[in-house]
Coordinates of all heavy atoms in Angstrom, one line a residue:
M1 N -25.4 -5.1 1.8 CA -24.2 -5.1 2.5 C -23.0 -5.4 1.6 O -21.9 -4.9 1.8 CB -24.3 -6.1 3.6 CG -23.7 -5.7 4.9 SD -24.1 -4.0 5.4 CE -23.2 -4.0 6.9
T2 N -23.3 -6.2 0.6 CA -22.2 -6.7 -0.3 C -21.7 -5.5 -1.1 O -20.4 -5.4 -1.2 CB -22.8 -7.7 -1.3 OG1 -23.3 -8.8 -0.6 CG2 -21.7 -8.2 -2.2
R3 N -22.5 -4.6 -1.5 CA -22.0 -3.4 -2.3 C -21.2 -2.5 -1.4 O -20.2 -1.9 -1.8 CB -23.2 -2.6 -2.8 CG -23.9 -3.4 -4.0 CD -25.0 -2.5 -4.5 NE -25.7 -3.3 -5.6 CZ -26.8 -3.0 -6.1 NH1 -27.5 -1.9 -5.6 NH2 -27.4 -3.7 -7.0
L4 N -21.6 -2.4 -0.1 CA -20.8 -1.5 0.8 C -19.4 -2.1 1.0 O -18.4 -1.3 0.9 CB -21.6 -1.4 2.1 CG -20.8 -0.7 3.2 CD1 -20.7 0.8 2.9 CD2 -21.5 -0.8 4.6
Y5 N -19.4 -3.4 1.3 CA -18.0 -4.0 1.5 C -17.2 -3.9 0.2 O -16.0 -3.7 0.3 CB -18.2 -5.5 1.9 CG -18.8 -5.7 3.2 CD1 -19.6 -6.7 3.5 CD2 -18.4 -4.8 4.3 CE1 -20.1 -6.9 4.8 CE2 -19.0 -5.0 5.6 CZ -19.8 -6.1 5.8 OH -20.3 -6.3 7.0
F6 N -17.8 -4.1 -0.9 CA -17.0 -4.0 -2.2 C -16.6 -2.6 -2.4 O -15.5 -2.3 -2.9 CB -17.9 -4.5 -3.4 CG -17.1 -4.6 -4.6 CD1 -16.1 -5.6 -4.7 CD2 -17.3 -3.8 -5.7 CE1 -15.3 -5.7 -5.9 CE2 -16.6 -3.9 -6.9 CZ -15.6 -4.8 -7.0
A7 N -17.4 -1.6 -2.1 CA -17.0 -0.2 -2.3 C -15.9 0.2 -1.3 O -15.0 0.9 -1.7 CB -18.2 0.7 -2.1
L8 N -16.0 -0.3 -0.1 CA -14.9 -0.1 0.8 C -13.6 -0.8 0.4 O -12.5 -0.3 0.6 CB -15.3 -0.5 2.2 CG -16.3 0.3 2.9 CD1 -16.8 -0.3 4.2 CD2 -15.8 1.7 3.2
F9 N -13.7 -2.0 -0.2 CA -12.6 -2.7 -0.8 C -11.9 -1.9 -1.9 O -10.7 -1.7 -1.9 CB -13.0 -4.0 -1.3 CG -11.9 -4.8 -1.9 CD1 -11.0 -5.5 -1.2 CD2 -11.8 -4.9 -3.3 CE1 -10.0 -6.3 -1.8 CE2 -10.8 -5.6 -3.9 CZ -9.9 -6.3 -3.1
L10 N -12.7 -1.3 -2.8 CA -12.2 -0.5 -3.9 C -11.5 0.8 -3.3 O -10.5 1.2 -3.8 CB -13.3 -0.1 -4.9 CG -13.7 -1.3 -5.7 CD1 -14.8 -0.8 -6.7 CD2 -12.6 -1.9 -6.5
A11 N -12.1 1.4 -2.3 CA -11.6 2.6 -1.7 C -10.2 2.3 -1.1 O -9.3 3.1 -1.2 CB -12.5 3.2 -0.7
A12 N -10.1 1.2 -0.4 CA -8.9 0.8 0.2 C -7.8 0.5 -0.9 O -6.6 0.8 -0.7 CB -9.1 -0.4 1.1
A13 N -8.2 -0.1 -2.0 CA -7.3 -0.4 -3.1 C -6.8 0.9 -3.7 O -5.6 1.0 -4.0 CB -8.0 -1.2 -4.1
L14 N -7.6 1.9 -3.9 CA -7.2 3.2 -4.4 C -6.2 3.9 -3.4 O -5.2 4.5 -3.9 CB -8.3 4.1 -4.7 CG -9.1 3.7 -5.9 CD1 -10.4 4.6 -6.1 CD2 -8.3 3.8 -7.2
A15 N -6.5 3.9 -2.2 CA -5.6 4.5 -1.2 C -4.3 3.7 -1.1 O -3.2 4.3 -1.0 CB -6.3 4.5 0.2
N16 N -4.3 2.4 -1.2 CA -3.1 1.6 -1.2 C -2.3 1.9 -2.4 O -1.0 2.1 -2.3 CB -3.5 0.1 -1.2 CG -2.3 -0.8 -1.0 OD1 -1.6 -1.1 -2.0 ND2 -2.0 -1.1 0.2
F17 N -2.9 2.1 -3.6 CA -2.1 2.5 -4.8 C -1.5 3.8 -4.6 O -0.4 4.1 -5.1 CB -3.1 2.4 -6.0 CG -2.3 2.7 -7.3 CD1 -1.5 1.7 -7.8 CD2 -2.5 3.9 -7.9 CE1 -0.8 2.0 -9.0 CE2 -1.8 4.1 -9.1 CZ -1.0 3.2 -9.7
G18 N -2.2 4.8 -4.0 CA -1.7 6.1 -3.8 C -0.5 6.1 -2.9 O 0.5 6.7 -3.2
C19 N -0.5 5.3 -1.8 CA 0.6 5.1 -0.9 C 1.8 4.5 -1.7 O 3.0 4.8 -1.5 CB 0.3 4.3 0.3 SG -0.9 5.1 1.4
T20 N 1.5 3.5 -2.6 CA 2.5 2.9 -3.4 C 3.2 3.9 -4.3 O 4.5 3.9 -4.4 CB 1.9 1.8 -4.2 OG1 1.3 0.8 -3.3 CG2 3.0 1.0 -5.0
V21 N 2.5 4.8 -4.9 CA 3.1 5.8 -5.8 C 4.0 6.7 -5.0 O 5.1 7.1 -5.4 CB 2.0 6.5 -6.5 CG1 2.6 7.7 -7.3 CG2 1.3 5.6 -7.5
V22 N 3.6 7.1 -3.8 CA 4.4 8.0 -3.0 C 5.7 7.3 -2.6 O 6.8 7.9 -2.6 CB 3.6 8.5 -1.7 CG1 4.5 9.2 -0.7 CG2 2.4 9.3 -2.1
I23 N 5.6 6.0 -2.2 CA 6.8 5.3 -1.8 C 7.7 5.1 -3.0 O 8.9 5.3 -2.9 CB 6.4 3.9 -1.2 CG1 5.7 4.1 0.1 CG2 7.6 3.0 -1.1 CD1 5.1 2.8 0.7
L24 N 7.1 4.9 -4.2 CA 8.0 4.8 -5.4 C 8.7 6.1 -5.7 O 9.9 6.0 -6.1 CB 7.1 4.4 -6.6 CG 6.8 2.9 -6.8 CD1 5.9 2.7 -7.9 CD2 8.1 2.1 -7.0
R25 N 8.0 7.2 -5.6 CA 8.6 8.5 -5.8 C 9.8 8.7 -4.9 O 10.9 9.2 -5.3 CB 7.6 9.6 -5.7 CG 6.7 9.7 -6.9 CD 5.8 10.8 -6.8 NE 4.9 10.9 -7.9 CZ 3.9 11.8 -8.0 NH1 3.7 12.6 -7.0 NH2 3.1 11.8 -9.0
E26 N 9.6 8.4 -3.6 CA 10.7 8.6 -2.7 C 11.9 7.7 -3.0 O 13.0 8.1 -2.8 CB 10.2 8.4 -1.2 CG 9.3 9.4 -0.7 CD 9.9 10.8 -0.6 OE1 11.1 10.8 -0.2 OE2 9.3 11.8 -1.0
L27 N 11.6 6.5 -3.4 CA 12.7 5.5 -3.6 C 13.5 5.9 -4.9 O 14.7 5.8 -5.0 CB 12.2 4.1 -3.7 CG 11.7 3.5 -2.4 CD1 11.1 2.1 -2.7 CD2 12.9 3.4 -1.4
T28 N 12.7 6.4 -5.9 CA 13.4 6.8 -7.1 C 14.2 8.1 -6.9 O 15.2 8.4 -7.6 CB 12.5 7.0 -8.3 OG1 11.4 7.8 -7.9 CG2 11.9 5.7 -8.8
R29 N 13.7 9.0 -6.0 CA 14.4 10.2 -5.7 C 15.7 9.9 -5.0 O 16.7 10.6 -5.1 CB 13.6 11.0 -4.7 CG 13.9 12.5 -4.8 CD 13.0 13.3 -3.9 NE 11.6 13.4 -4.5 CZ 10.5 13.6 -3.8 NH1 10.6 13.9 -2.6 NH2 9.4 13.7 -4.5
A30 N 15.8 8.7 -4.3 CA 17.0 8.3 -3.7 C 17.9 7.4 -4.6 O 18.8 6.7 -4.1 CB 16.7 7.6 -2.4
D31 N 17.6 7.3 -5.8 CA 18.3 6.6 -6.8 C 18.3 5.1 -6.6 O 19.2 4.4 -6.8 CB 19.8 7.0 -7.0 CG 19.9 8.4 -7.5 OD1 19.0 8.8 -8.3 OD2 20.8 9.1 -7.2
I32 N 17.1 4.6 -6.1 CA 16.9 3.1 -6.0 C 16.0 2.7 -7.1 O 14.9 3.2 -7.3 CB 16.3 2.8 -4.6 CG1 17.2 3.2 -3.5 CG2 15.9 1.3 -4.5 CD1 16.6 3.1 -2.1
A33 N 16.6 1.8 -8.0 CA 15.8 1.5 -9.2 C 14.8 0.4 -8.9 O 15.0 -0.6 -8.3 CB 16.8 0.9 -10.2
I34 N 13.5 0.7 -9.3 CA 12.4 -0.2 -9.1 C 11.7 -0.2 -10.5 O 11.4 0.8 -11.1 CB 11.5 0.3 -8.0 CG1 12.2 0.3 -6.7 CG2 10.2 -0.5 -8.0 CD1 11.3 0.8 -5.6
S35 N 11.4 -1.5 -10.9 CA 10.6 -1.7 -12.1 C 9.2 -1.4 -11.9 O 8.6 -1.9 -10.9 CB 10.8 -3.1 -12.6 OG 10.0 -3.4 -13.7
Y36 N 8.6 -0.6 -12.7 CA 7.1 -0.3 -12.6 C 6.2 -1.4 -13.0 O 5.1 -1.5 -12.6 CB 6.8 1.0 -13.4 CG 7.3 2.2 -12.7 CD1 8.4 2.8 -13.2 CD2 6.6 2.8 -11.7 CE1 8.9 4.0 -12.6 CE2 7.0 3.9 -11.1 CZ 8.2 4.5 -11.5 OH 8.7 5.7 -10.9
F37 N 6.8 -2.4 -13.7 CA 6.0 -3.6 -14.1 C 5.8 -4.6 -12.9 O 4.9 -5.3 -12.8 CB 6.7 -4.3 -15.3 CG 6.7 -3.5 -16.5 CD1 7.9 -3.0 -17.0 CD2 5.5 -3.1 -17.1 CE1 7.9 -2.2 -18.1 CE2 5.5 -2.3 -18.3 CZ 6.7 -1.9 -18.8
D38 N 6.8 -4.6 -12.0 CA 6.7 -5.4 -10.8 C 6.4 -4.6 -9.6 O 7.0 -4.7 -8.5 CB 8.1 -6.1 -10.6 CG 8.4 -7.1 -11.7 OD1 7.5 -7.6 -12.3 OD2 9.6 -7.3 -11.9
L39 N 5.4 -3.7 -9.7 CA 5.1 -2.7 -8.8 C 4.7 -3.3 -7.4 O 5.3 -2.9 -6.4 CB 3.9 -1.9 -9.3 CG 3.5 -0.7 -8.5 CD1 4.6 0.4 -8.6 CD2 2.2 -0.1 -9.0
R40 N 3.9 -4.3 -7.4 CA 3.4 -4.8 -6.1 C 4.5 -5.6 -5.3 O 4.6 -5.4 -4.2 CB 2.2 -5.7 -6.3 CG 1.0 -5.1 -7.1 CD 0.6 -3.8 -6.5 NE -0.1 -3.9 -5.2 CZ -0.5 -3.0 -4.4 NH1 -0.2 -1.7 -4.8 NH2 -1.1 -3.2 -3.3
T41 N 5.2 -6.4 -6.0 CA 6.2 -7.2 -5.3 C 7.4 -6.3 -5.0 O 8.1 -6.6 -3.9 CB 6.7 -8.4 -6.2 OG1 7.2 -7.9 -7.4 CG2 5.6 -9.3 -6.5
Q42 N 7.8 -5.4 -5.8 CA 8.9 -4.5 -5.5 C 8.7 -3.6 -4.2 O 9.6 -3.4 -3.5 CB 9.2 -3.6 -6.7 CG 9.7 -4.4 -7.9 CD 11.1 -5.0 -7.6 OE1 11.9 -4.4 -7.0 NE2 11.3 -6.2 -8.1
I43 N 7.4 -3.2 -4.1 CA 7.1 -2.3 -2.9 C 7.3 -3.1 -1.6 O 7.8 -2.7 -0.6 CB 5.7 -1.8 -3.0 CG1 5.7 -0.7 -4.1 CG2 5.2 -1.2 -1.7 CD1 6.6 0.4 -3.9
L44 N 6.8 -4.4 -1.6 CA 6.9 -5.2 -0.4 C 8.4 -5.5 -0.1 O 8.8 -5.5 1.1 CB 6.2 -6.5 -0.6 CG 4.6 -6.4 -0.5 CD1 4.0 -7.7 -0.9 CD2 4.2 -5.9 0.8
K45 N 9.2 -5.6 -1.1 CA 10.6 -5.9 -0.9 C 11.3 -4.6 -0.4 O 12.3 -4.8 0.4 CB 11.2 -6.4 -2.2 CG 12.6 -6.9 -2.1 CD 13.2 -7.6 -3.3 CE 12.8 -7.2 -4.6 NZ 13.6 -7.8 -5.7
H46 N 10.9 -3.5 -0.8 CA 11.6 -2.2 -0.5 C 10.9 -1.4 0.6 O 11.3 -0.2 0.8 CB 11.8 -1.4 -1.7 CG 12.8 -1.9 -2.7 ND1 14.1 -2.0 -2.5 CD2 12.6 -2.5 -3.9 CE1 14.7 -2.5 -3.5 NE2 13.8 -2.8 -4.4
L47 N 10.0 -2.0 1.3 CA 9.2 -1.2 2.3 C 10.1 -0.8 3.5 O 10.1 0.3 4.0 CB 8.0 -2.0 2.8 CG 6.9 -1.3 3.4 CD1 6.4 -0.2 2.5 CD2 5.8 -2.2 3.8
K48 N 11.0 -1.7 3.9 CA 11.9 -1.4 4.9 C 13.0 -0.3 4.5 O 13.3 0.5 5.3 CB 12.7 -2.7 5.4 CG 13.5 -2.5 6.7 CD 14.0 -3.9 7.1 CE 14.7 -3.7 8.4 NZ 15.2 -5.0 8.9
T49 N 13.4 -0.4 3.3 CA 14.3 0.6 2.7 C 13.6 2.0 2.8 O 14.2 3.0 3.2 CB 14.7 0.3 1.3 OG1 15.2 -1.0 1.2 CG2 15.7 1.3 0.7
Y50 N 12.3 2.1 2.4 CA 11.6 3.4 2.5 C 11.5 3.8 3.9 O 11.6 5.0 4.2 CB 10.2 3.2 1.9 CG 9.4 4.4 2.1 CD1 9.6 5.6 1.4 CD2 8.4 4.4 3.1 CE1 8.8 6.7 1.7 CE2 7.6 5.5 3.4 CZ 7.8 6.7 2.7 OH 7.1 7.8 2.9
K51 N 11.2 2.9 4.8 CA 11.1 3.3 6.2 C 12.4 3.9 6.7 O 12.4 5.0 7.4 CB 10.8 2.1 7.1 CG 10.6 2.3 8.5 CD 10.2 1.0 9.2 CE 10.1 1.2 10.7 NZ 9.8 0.0 11.4
N52 N 13.6 3.3 6.4 CA 14.9 3.8 6.9 C 15.2 5.1 6.1 O 15.7 6.1 6.7 CB 16.0 2.8 6.6 CG 15.8 1.6 7.5 OD1 15.2 1.7 8.6 ND2 16.3 0.5 7.0
L53 N 14.9 5.2 4.9 CA 15.1 6.4 4.1 C 14.3 7.6 4.6 O 14.9 8.7 4.8 CB 14.8 6.2 2.6 CG 15.1 7.3 1.6 CD1 16.6 7.4 1.5 CD2 14.5 6.9 0.3
S54 N 13.1 7.4 4.9 CA 12.3 8.5 5.4 C 12.6 8.9 6.8 O 12.6 10.1 7.2 CB 10.8 8.1 5.3 OG 10.5 7.1 6.2
R55 N 13.1 7.9 7.6 CA 13.6 8.2 8.9 C 14.8 9.1 8.9 O 15.0 10.0 9.7 CB 13.8 7.0 9.7 CG 14.1 7.3 11.2 CD 14.3 6.0 12.0 NE 13.0 5.4 12.2 CZ 12.9 4.1 12.3 NH1 13.9 3.3 12.3 NH2 11.7 3.6 12.6
E56 N 15.7 8.8 7.9 CA 16.9 9.6 7.8 C 16.6 11.0 7.3 O 17.2 12.0 7.7 CB 17.9 9.0 6.8 CG 18.6 7.8 7.3 CD 19.4 7.1 6.2 OE1 19.5 7.6 5.1 OE2 19.9 6.0 6.5
R57 N 15.7 11.1 6.3 CA 15.3 12.4 5.7 C 14.5 13.3 6.6 O 14.7 14.5 6.7 CB 14.7 12.2 4.3 CG 14.6 13.4 3.5 CD 14.1 13.1 2.1 NE 12.7 12.7 2.1 CZ 11.7 13.5 2.0 NH1 11.9 14.8 2.0 NH2 10.5 13.0 2.0
L58 N 13.4 12.7 7.2 CA 12.5 13.5 7.9 C 12.7 13.4 9.4 O 12.1 14.3 10.2 CB 11.0 13.0 7.6 CG 10.6 13.0 6.2 CD1 9.2 12.3 6.1 CD2 10.5 14.5 5.8
G59 N 13.4 12.5 9.9 CA 13.6 12.3 11.4 C 12.5 11.4 12.0 O 12.5 11.2 13.2
R60 N 11.6 11.0 11.1 CA 10.5 10.0 11.6 C 10.1 9.2 10.4 O 10.5 9.5 9.2 CB 9.3 10.8 12.1 CG 8.7 11.7 11.0 CD 7.5 12.5 11.6 NE 7.0 13.5 10.6 CZ 6.3 13.2 9.6 NH1 5.9 12.0 9.3 NH2 5.9 14.1 8.7
V61 N 9.3 8.2 10.6 CA 8.9 7.3 9.5 C 7.8 8.0 8.7 O 6.9 8.7 9.3 CB 8.4 6.0 10.1 CG1 7.9 5.1 8.9 CG2 9.4 5.3 10.9
G62 N 7.9 8.0 7.4 CA 7.0 8.6 6.5 C 5.6 8.1 6.6 O 5.4 6.9 6.9
G63 N 4.6 9.0 6.4 CA 3.2 8.6 6.5 C 2.8 7.5 5.5 O 1.9 6.8 5.7
A64 N 3.5 7.5 4.3 CA 3.1 6.5 3.3 C 3.4 5.1 3.8 O 2.7 4.1 3.4 CB 3.8 6.8 2.0
Y65 N 4.3 4.9 4.6 CA 4.6 3.6 5.2 C 3.5 3.1 6.0 O 3.0 2.0 5.8 CB 5.9 3.6 6.1 CG 6.2 2.4 6.8 CD1 6.9 1.3 6.1 CD2 5.9 2.2 8.1 CE1 7.2 0.1 6.7 CE2 6.2 1.0 8.8 CZ 6.8 0.0 8.1 OH 7.1 -1.2 8.7
Y66 N 3.0 3.9 6.9 CA 1.8 3.5 7.7 C 0.6 3.4 6.9 O -0.3 2.5 7.1 CB 1.6 4.4 8.9 CG 2.8 4.4 9.9 CD1 3.6 5.5 10.1 CD2 3.1 3.2 10.6 CE1 4.6 5.5 11.0 CE2 4.2 3.2 11.4 CZ 4.9 4.3 11.6 OH 6.0 4.3 12.5
G67 N 0.4 4.3 5.9 CA -0.7 4.2 5.1 C -0.8 2.9 4.2 O -1.8 2.3 4.1
Y68 N 0.4 2.5 3.8 CA 0.4 1.3 3.0 C 0.1 0.1 3.8 O -0.7 -0.8 3.4 CB 1.8 1.1 2.4 CG 2.0 -0.1 1.5 CD1 1.5 -0.1 0.2 CD2 2.4 -1.3 2.0 CE1 1.6 -1.2 -0.6 CE2 2.5 -2.4 1.2 CZ 2.1 -2.4 -0.1 OH 2.2 -3.5 -0.9
I69 N 0.6 0.0 5.0 CA 0.4 -1.1 5.9 C -1.1 -1.2 6.3 O -1.8 -2.2 6.3 CB 1.3 -1.1 7.2 CG1 2.7 -1.2 6.8 CG2 0.9 -2.2 8.2 CD1 3.1 -2.5 6.2
L70 N -1.7 0.0 6.6 CA -3.1 0.1 7.1 C -4.0 -0.3 5.9 O -5.0 -1.1 6.1 CB -3.3 1.5 7.6 CG -4.7 1.8 8.2 CD1 -4.8 1.0 9.5 CD2 -4.9 3.2 8.4
T71 N -3.8 0.3 4.8 CA -4.7 0.0 3.7 C -4.5 -1.5 3.2 O -5.5 -2.1 2.7 CB -4.5 0.9 2.5 OG1 -3.1 0.9 2.1 CG2 -4.9 2.3 2.8
L72 N -3.4 -2.1 3.3 CA -3.2 -3.5 3.0 C -4.1 -4.3 3.9 O -4.7 -5.3 3.5 CB -1.7 -3.9 3.1 CG -1.4 -5.2 2.6 CD1 -1.7 -5.3 1.1 CD2 0.1 -5.5 2.8
G73 N -4.1 -4.0 5.2 CA -4.9 -4.7 6.2 C -6.4 -4.5 5.8 O -7.2 -5.5 5.9
F74 N -6.8 -3.3 5.5 CA -8.2 -3.0 5.1 C -8.6 -3.8 3.8 O -9.7 -4.3 3.7 CB -8.5 -1.6 4.8 CG -8.6 -0.8 6.1 CD1 -8.2 0.5 6.2 CD2 -9.2 -1.3 7.2 CE1 -8.3 1.3 7.3 CE2 -9.3 -0.6 8.4 CZ -8.9 0.7 8.4
L75 N -7.6 -3.9 2.9 CA -7.9 -4.7 1.7 C -8.2 -6.2 2.0 O -9.1 -6.8 1.5 CB -6.7 -4.7 0.7 CG -6.6 -3.5 -0.2 CD1 -5.2 -3.5 -0.9 CD2 -7.7 -3.6 -1.2
I76 N -7.4 -6.7 2.9 CA -7.7 -8.1 3.3 C -9.0 -8.3 4.0 O -9.8 -9.2 3.7 CB -6.5 -8.6 4.2 CG1 -5.2 -8.7 3.4 CG2 -6.8 -10.0 4.8 CD1 -4.0 -8.9 4.2
I77 N -9.3 -7.4 5.0 CA -10.5 -7.4 5.8 C -11.7 -7.3 4.9 O -12.7 -8.1 4.9 CB -10.5 -6.4 6.9 CG1 -9.5 -6.8 7.9 CG2 -11.9 -6.2 7.5 CD1 -9.2 -5.7 9.0
F78 N -11.8 -6.2 4.0 CA -12.9 -6.0 3.2 C -13.1 -7.0 2.1 O -14.2 -7.3 1.6 CB -12.9 -4.6 2.6 CG -13.1 -3.5 3.7 CD1 -12.3 -2.4 3.7 CD2 -14.1 -3.6 4.6 CE1 -12.5 -1.4 4.7 CE2 -14.3 -2.7 5.6 CZ -13.5 -1.6 5.6
G79 N -12.0 -7.6 1.6 CA -12.0 -8.6 0.7 C -12.7 -9.9 1.2 O -13.6 -10.5 0.6
I80 N -12.3 -10.2 2.5 CA -12.9 -11.4 3.1 C -14.4 -11.1 3.4 O -15.3 -12.0 3.2 CB -12.2 -11.7 4.4 CG1 -10.8 -12.3 4.1 CG2 -13.0 -12.7 5.3 CD1 -9.9 -12.4 5.3
L81 N -14.7 -9.9 3.9 CA -16.1 -9.6 4.2 C -17.0 -9.6 2.9 O -18.1 -10.0 2.9 CB -16.2 -8.2 4.9 CG -15.8 -8.2 6.3 CD1 -15.8 -6.7 6.8 CD2 -16.6 -9.0 7.2
S82 N -16.5 -9.0 1.8 CA -17.3 -9.0 0.6 C -17.5 -10.4 0.0 O -18.6 -10.7 -0.4 CB -16.8 -8.0 -0.5 OG -15.4 -8.0 -0.5
L83 N -16.4 -11.2 0.1 CA -16.6 -12.6 -0.4 C -17.6 -13.4 0.5 O -18.4 -14.2 0.1 CB -15.3 -13.3 -0.4 CG -14.4 -13.0 -1.6 CD1 -13.1 -13.7 -1.5 CD2 -15.1 -13.4 -2.9
G84 N -17.5 -13.1 1.9 CA -18.4 -13.8 2.8 C -19.8 -13.4 2.6 O -20.7 -14.2 2.7
S85 N -20.1 -12.1 2.3 CA -21.4 -11.7 2.1 C -22.0 -12.2 0.7 O -23.2 -12.4 0.6 CB -21.5 -10.2 2.2 OG -20.9 -9.6 1.1
V86 N -21.1 -12.4 -0.2 CA -21.6 -12.9 -1.5 C -21.9 -14.4 -1.4 O -22.9 -14.9 -1.9 CB -20.5 -12.7 -2.6 CG1 -20.8 -13.5 -3.9 CG2 -20.4 -11.3 -3.0
L87 N -21.1 -15.2 -0.7 CA -21.2 -16.6 -0.6 C -22.3 -17.0 0.5 O -22.7 -18.2 0.5 CB -19.9 -17.2 -0.3 CG -18.8 -17.0 -1.3 CD1 -17.5 -17.6 -0.9 CD2 -19.3 -17.6 -2.7
S88 N -22.7 -16.2 1.4 CA -23.7 -16.6 2.4 C -25.1 -16.5 1.8 O -25.4 -15.6 1.0 CB -23.6 -15.6 3.6 OG -24.0 -14.3 3.3
P89 N -25.9 -17.5 2.2 CA -27.3 -17.5 1.7 C -28.2 -16.4 2.1 O -28.0 -15.7 3.0 CB -27.8 -18.8 2.1 CG -26.9 -19.3 3.2 CD -25.6 -18.5 3.1

């Protein structure tokens, strides 16, 4: 079970990174400067900006916003589950 949880954790991490790249592209397209070295903290700070920007451009909230939130939740859940399965006897 540990390998399954860890594999799901890695899959959620890759999906989260993909959503992060999509959000970064949209923000740089709108001339909002974001440092690529502070990728994780900058995305959390500008998530509301991306939501408003995509709502103006598309008429609805962009899918990367919901994808980022969903995969972040999966990262937390699968991280706890994989640590719990490793630490349990």
Side-chain angles (χ1 to χ4, degrees):
M1 219 45 179
T2 303
R3 289 182 182 166
L4 174 67
Y5 291 144
F6 189 69
L8 291 172
F9 177 79
L10 289 178
L14 287 173
N16 187 275
F17 184 73
C19 291
T20 302
V21 169
V22 170
I23 291 171
L24 276 176
R25 285 184 181 172
E26 289 295 321
L27 290 176
T28 53
R29 203 177 289 160
D31 293 330
I32 298 172
I34 294 179
S35 170
Y36 285 99
F37 295 111
D38 297 330
L39 188 68
R40 304 308 287 170
T41 57
Q42 293 292 321
I43 290 299
L44 290 174
K45 189 169 31 170
H46 291 290
L47 201 57
K48 190 173 183 178
T49 306
Y50 170 75
K51 181 180 177 181
N52 294 333
L53 183 70
S54 65
R55 186 177 287 151
E56 288 174 7
R57 194 173 66 87
L58 300 173
R60 60 180 173 81
V61 178
Y65 175 80
Y66 295 117
Y68 182 83
I69 298 295
L70 186 69
T71 56
L72 189 62
F74 282 146
L75 277 170
I76 293 169
I77 290 169
F78 292 134
I80 290 171
L81 286 174
S82 36
L83 282 177
S85 67
V86 166
L87 297 176
S88 68

